[in-house]
């Protein structure tokens, strides 16, 4: 609309006067008086309509949004020069929103060159935003805007948004490296960005100086880490005497490391049980210890089972099924034996002493 554009870009002179509002304590009713004059006139006194949208298809350079974006860029640049970074952020942010809206315009005669103009305008805005955020020590925003200047603000990144020339892309990497170093002390990322920037502009003295500073900080951090590790591993005379760096009260109690004693079989997974050690296992162990039977090398056995599973899967399944049957039979036998012992104990508990047995006959079960 003409008036929005007119107010934003064609305001040549304005004057605003406001009368002071008298307070209630002064005895008079408070009021404002506001007046203004606008003069959108050409040199010959006629109404300036040069920026009006005449309608129809037109090149992107003649679009109102594009012209307003350029004005925001120039305004933001002037604010940076004066040190008003917060106001500059507002101008560049408005520029970015304008270029996004511009790309959706259907009355623009879009060409590859026209779209590149809009992308470059937005990329430079992000580049300048990264400077503003560096100056105001907003490190995360500085990193994000520098990244968007390089690759655009789409997710995932659109290769067509990679429009900055090498010199400006190196500047974005330089600013992102500064934010990494000063904001998060991430020297590795800073070093990576600076080296990438120097590949683009190897003669840049500022980049060379910043890289030397980061490499010096990295070297000092590595020396500090090495010194700390050396102090940890060597604690003076005690270590030299072989006493170690840990005290004896830190040693765990061996009794607390013993595995819990099982009282009944526990099923770990299909076909795999953990059973308590019974007398037969004790006898087998004693026999193995005495040399009557060769001891089992469980490491070799495990390796052979793994090879069987890999090379002969059918045989492995047969062995697995057979082992499962044997384990289940063993479990059933243990449960049956336990049941018999419980029945016998119960019978002994309820049996009366011989001298106190009743003389009346006991009926036999039917």
């Amino acid at each position: 609309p003409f008036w929005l554009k007119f107010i934003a870009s064609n305001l040549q002179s304005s004057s605003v006067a406001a009368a002071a509002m008298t307070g209630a304590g002064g005895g008079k009713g408070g009021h404002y008086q506001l007046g203004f004059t606008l003069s959108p006139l050409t040199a010959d006194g006629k109404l300036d309509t040069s920026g009006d949208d005449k309608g129809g298809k037109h090149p992107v350079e003649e679009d109102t949004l594009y012209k307003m974006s350029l004005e925001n860029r120039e305004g933001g640049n002037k604010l940076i020069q004066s040190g008003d970074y917060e106001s500059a952020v507002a101008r560049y942010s408005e520029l970015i929103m304008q270029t996004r809206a511009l790309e959706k315009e259907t009355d623009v005669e879009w060409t590859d060159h026209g779209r590149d103009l809009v992308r470059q305008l937005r990329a430079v805005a992000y580049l300048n935003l990264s400077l503003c955020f560096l100056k105001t020590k907003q490190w995360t925003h500085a990193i994000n805007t520098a990244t968007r200047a390089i690759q655009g603000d789409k997710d995932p990144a659109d290769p067509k948004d990679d429009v900055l020339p090498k010199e400006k892309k190196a500047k974005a990497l330089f600013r992102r490296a500064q934010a990494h170093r000063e904001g998060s002390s991430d020297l590795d990322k800073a070093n990576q960005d600076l080296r990438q920037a120097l590949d683009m502009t190897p003669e840049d003295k500022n980049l060379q100086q910043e890289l030397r500073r980061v490499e010096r900080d990295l070297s000092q951090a590595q020396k500090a880490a090495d010194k700390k590790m050396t102090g940890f591993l060597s604690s003076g005379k005690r270590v030299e005497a072989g006493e170690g760096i840990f005290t004896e009260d830190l040693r765990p109690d061996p009794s607390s490391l013993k595995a819990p004693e099982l009282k009944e079989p526990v099923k770990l997974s299909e076909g795999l049980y953990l059973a308590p050690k019974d007398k037969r296992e004790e006898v087998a162990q004693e026999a193995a210890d005495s040399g009557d039977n060769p001891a089992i090398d469980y490491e070799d056995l495990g390796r052979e089972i793994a090879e069987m599973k890999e090379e002969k899967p059918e045989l492995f399944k047969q062995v697995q099924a057979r082992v499962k049957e044997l384990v289940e039979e063993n479990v059933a036998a243990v449960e049956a034996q336990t049941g018999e012992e419980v029945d016998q104990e119960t019978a002994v508990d309820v049996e009366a002493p011989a001298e106190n047995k009743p003389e009346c006959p006991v009926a036999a079960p039917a």
Side-chain angles (χ1 to χ4, degrees), residues 22-30:
T22 58
K28 298 181 180 180

Side-chain angles (χ1 to χ4, degrees), residues 149-151 162 164-174 176 192-204 207-208:
I150 297 170
Q151 66 183 36
D162 185 2
L164 286 180
K166 286 186 176 180
E167 294 77 13
K168 290 187 177 180
K169 193 178 295 185
K171 188 179 294 185
L173 288 167
F174 174 60
R176 191 169 72 177
Q192 181 180 352
D193 281 346
L194 290 171
R195 291 186 177 278
Q196 187 177 352
L198 274 174
D199 289 340
M200 300 177 184
T201 54
E203 302 301 325
D204 192 311
L207 282 173
Q208 295 172 2

